[in-house]
Amino acid sequence: GAGVSQSPSNKVTEKGKDVELRCDPISGHTALYWYRQSLGQGLEFLIYFQGNSAPDKSGLPSDRFSAERTGGSVSTLTIQRTQQEDSAVYLCASSLEGTGSGYTFGSGTRLTVV
Amino acid sequence: GENVEQHPSTLSVQEGDSAVIKCTYSDSASNYFPWYKQELGKRPQLIIDIRSNVGEKKDQRIAVTLNKTAKHFSLHITETQPEDSAVYFCAASINTGRRALTFGSGTRLQVQP
């Protein structure tokens, strides 16, 4: 596609429920990244996929968080048993080289846990 | 891992003045340093980047400088305009291998008309 697409744009969920966030990167981009941005804060790295290599999961804050990328394209970030502190904007980005350069961000999913 | 510190956290300037935002990084192996602009409610967008083989890069009213010895880099905006008002993020990464960008905490720039 023309840009990085994320869905849903907004998600309100009850504490303890599971949620799935989707990211559709730019066609041909081999690298995909997930970041979290809490209100008024910076961008916290979560996970990074590059081609067929094992993902870098070093930023995932707990084992309630997981992500997968199917067929080297679409990625899903899953948060199990959501907590109020999970409320944030979840941003996805993709790039061509997988070296950190040339990120294009999606518009994000605003997650609110009530 | 990499740690990026950014300051100031907020900056207010008069229209037409210059604005400078500074970042320091910890990993001497980092060699790619982009800057992103995020307007309220929108996605971050790349505005300029620099690699460690150069010391300065300019694009119209925006410039970035890099001091590898001191491990710091700065964003300079000249002749500021109200539409420059946004949050600016610096970032750093190793441009080889499998590393994602590490971002600074952001600077909220307000240009007063």
Side-chain angles (χ1 to χ4, degrees):
Chain A
V4 178
S5 297
Q6 290 189 246
S7 61
S9 55
N10 283 284
K11 176 73 176 178
V12 180
T13 189
E14 292 182 352
K15 178 181 174 181
K17 300 284 190 181
D18 297 352
V19 295
E20 287 189 351
L21 313 179
R22 176 187 168 103
C23 173
D24 195 348
I26 292 174
S27 178
H29 277 194
T30 56
L32 186 147
Y33 314 82
W34 284 98
Y35 284 81
R36 177 168 72 175
Q37 187 173 31
S38 301
L39 185 62
Q41 300 298 311
L43 287 81
E44 176 190 5
F45 167 70
L46 297 177
I47 189 168
Y48 161 35
F49 296 90
Q50 166 57 19
N52 295 320
S53 301
D56 177 357
K57 304 179 180 181
S58 61
L60 295 179
S62 77
D63 58 8
R64 296 187 296 106
F65 288 72
S66 63
E68 62 177 20
R69 187 180 185 190
T70 54
S73 181
V74 172
S75 176
T76 302
L77 177 69
T78 301
I79 309 174
Q80 296 179 309
R81 304 181 302 281
T82 51
Q83 303 295 315
Q84 288 186 330
E85 60 264 29
D86 299 335
S87 296
V89 175
Y90 289 81
L91 288 163
C92 175
S94 68
S95 70
L96 186 59
E97 299 174 4
T99 55
S101 60
Y103 277 23
T104 300
F105 279 93
S107 55
T109 294
R110 181 175 299 279
L111 175 66
T112 304
V113 182
V114 297
Chain B
E2 175 69 275
N3 181 51
V4 178
E5 295 189 357
Q6 180 173 350
H7 57 95
S9 57
T10 60
L11 178 60
S12 182
V13 299
Q14 292 294 316
E15 183 177 358
D17 288 350
S18 295
V20 180
I21 302 170
K22 299 181 179 182
C23 289
T24 60
Y25 61 98
S26 62
D27 191 341
S28 57
S30 289
N31 54 12
Y32 176 67
F33 308 93
W35 287 86
Y36 286 80
K37 176 183 180 181
Q38 186 177 31
E39 297 178 4
L40 189 62
K42 298 188 176 180
R43 72 192 76 187
Q45 293 197 314
L46 178 69
I47 56 171
I48 195 168
D49 57 11
I50 192 168
R51 298 180 189 274
S52 60
N53 57 344
V54 298
E56 184 176 6
K57 183 177 179 180
K58 290 183 179 180
D59 182 4
Q60 299 182 353
R61 298 185 296 108
I62 293 174
V64 57
T65 59
L66 171 65
N67 183 326
K68 288 176 59 180
T69 302
K71 292 192 285 188
H72 67 68
F73 56 113
S74 301
L75 177 71
H76 304 253
I77 306 174
T78 58
E79 301 172 23
T80 53
Q81 302 168 2
E83 52 265 38
D84 294 330
S85 296
V87 178
Y88 291 81
F89 292 97
C90 61
S93 78
I94 296 174
N95 200 25
T96 56
R98 300 175 63 250
R99 289 282 295 271
L101 287 170
T102 299
F103 285 85
S105 55
T107 296
R108 182 174 300 277
L109 173 65
Q110 182 69 42
V111 180
Q112 305 290 344

